[in-house]
């Protein structure tokens, strides 16, 4: 299994508040819809429902992640549905004092070692973009 972690992002809110917003997957759609066109284009084609996230990731195509685990207040795990390889997206939260939280997005994927150099950069980029997306929702 290969793991790709985003750079940790700091969110100026208590961990309980951050977890509550992250665990409420459907609420993200209205945030996406409210962003200016330039910001939405930067994020890409993403759709949120109660328990899933759908992302159009060229050249892979449509990826759908379904919530598999919620561990309050530290982690939300999503797994890819209908994926040719096992893939997880994890949002890990750590308190950074009483009024701040550090968030990291993690992609765990089972890919052959020989393919890692070919697609590892794209997976790292996806993890970093998801981390930026999290920070965007709290600013």
């Amino acid at each position: 299994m290969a793991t790709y972690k985003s750079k940790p992002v700091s969110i100026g809110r208590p961990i309980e508040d951050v977890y509550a917003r992250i665990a409420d997957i459907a609420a993200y759609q209205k945030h996406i819809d409210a962003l200016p066109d330039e910001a939405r284009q930067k994020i890409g084609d993403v759709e949120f429902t109660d328990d899933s996230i759908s992302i159009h990731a060229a050249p892979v195509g449509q990826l759908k992640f379904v919530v598999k685990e919620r561990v309050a207040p530290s982690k939300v795990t999503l797994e890819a549905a209908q994926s040719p390889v096992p893939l997880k997206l994890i949002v890990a939260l750590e308190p950074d004092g009483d009024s701040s939280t550090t968030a990291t997005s993690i992609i765990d994927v089972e890919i052959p070692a020989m393919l890692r150099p070919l697609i590892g950069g794209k997976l790292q980029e996806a993890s970093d973009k998801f981390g930026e997306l999290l920070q965007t929702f709290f600013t």
Side-chain angles (χ1 to χ4, degrees), residues 11-56:
I11 300 169
R13 300 219 178 142
I15 192 169
E16 293 81 10
D17 293 351
V18 174
Y19 174 81
R21 284 187 68 184
I22 289 173
D24 184 9
I25 304 291
Y28 287 111
Q29 189 61 47
K30 62 184 163 190
H31 292 290
I32 292 286
D33 294 341
L35 289 173
D37 287 340
E38 183 179 308
R40 280 199 322 257
Q41 289 175 355
K42 187 177 179 182
I43 291 169
D45 186 14
V46 181
E47 181 183 347
F48 297 90
T49 66
D50 288 339
D51 288 317
S52 70
I53 302 171
S54 295
I55 304 167
H56 182 76

Side-chain angles (χ1 to χ4, degrees), residues 119-134:
I119 61 173
K122 290 290 184 189
L123 290 170
Q124 183 61 54
E125 183 180 330
S127 183
D128 288 338
K129 282 190 177 199
F130 195 77
E132 291 171 15
L133 180 66
L134 290 172

